[in-house]
Amino acid sequence: MDALLVGADRLGNIPDILDDFGIRIAAHVSGRDTSHQRSSALPAGIGMVILSTDFLGHNVMQRFREAANREGVMFVCCRRSTCAPQKALGQRIGDKCRSCPDAAKCRK
């Protein structure tokens, strides 16, 4: 699944964590640019929006959440740390992964 990551200036080990869930970062927006507060168009083919809450203003977060809801795309809010994305994704898509027929291919 391709994801849009909003927030976090540096990705660090986030791509590795997401890879464990079969998620690839298709686009990354830092959220610091003031234009991000006005425009929140999601790239084509995005299946998930991940909002890094500790590096993101409320207006930017609200815009991208509304865009995800409007387009029927799943979104996850979490802090930028090692365990926060794992926990949030486990709660959000963990059950779906276990019941998916391709779960063995997605998860390592």
Side-chain angles (χ1 to χ4, degrees):
M1 170 187 322
D2 287 343
L4 168 66
L5 181 63
V6 183
D9 292 329
R10 288 171 288 180
L11 298 181
N13 60 352
I14 292 175
D16 296 333
I17 294 167
L18 297 179
D19 189 46
D20 290 342
F21 286 91
I23 299 170
R24 183 182 75 85
I25 298 175
H28 173 236
V29 176
S30 71
R32 291 192 185 267
D33 190 349
T34 56
S35 67
H36 299 153
Q37 295 178 12
R38 288 178 245 120
S39 173
S40 59
L42 300 182
I46 294 296
M48 176 184 286
V49 176
I50 301 171
L51 303 167
S52 181
T53 59
D54 48 352
F55 286 88
L56 201 56
H58 292 286
N59 291 336
V60 176
M61 189 178 338
Q62 179 182 4
R63 298 280 188 210
F64 280 98
R65 273 191 4 214
E66 288 172 354
N69 282 331
R70 188 172 49 248
E71 295 188 25
V73 174
M74 180 181 0
F75 69 90
V76 174
C77 301
C78 59
R79 295 181 58 105
R80 185 195 174 276
S81 66
T82 303
C83 61
Q86 289 173 330
K87 182 177 178 183
L89 289 168
Q91 290 174 343
R92 184 76 168 152
I93 65 173
D95 293 333
K96 293 179 185 176
C97 282
R98 280 190 279 280
S99 64
C100 175
D102 292 330
K105 285 192 282 183
C106 293
R107 299 183 68 95
K108 292 181 180 179

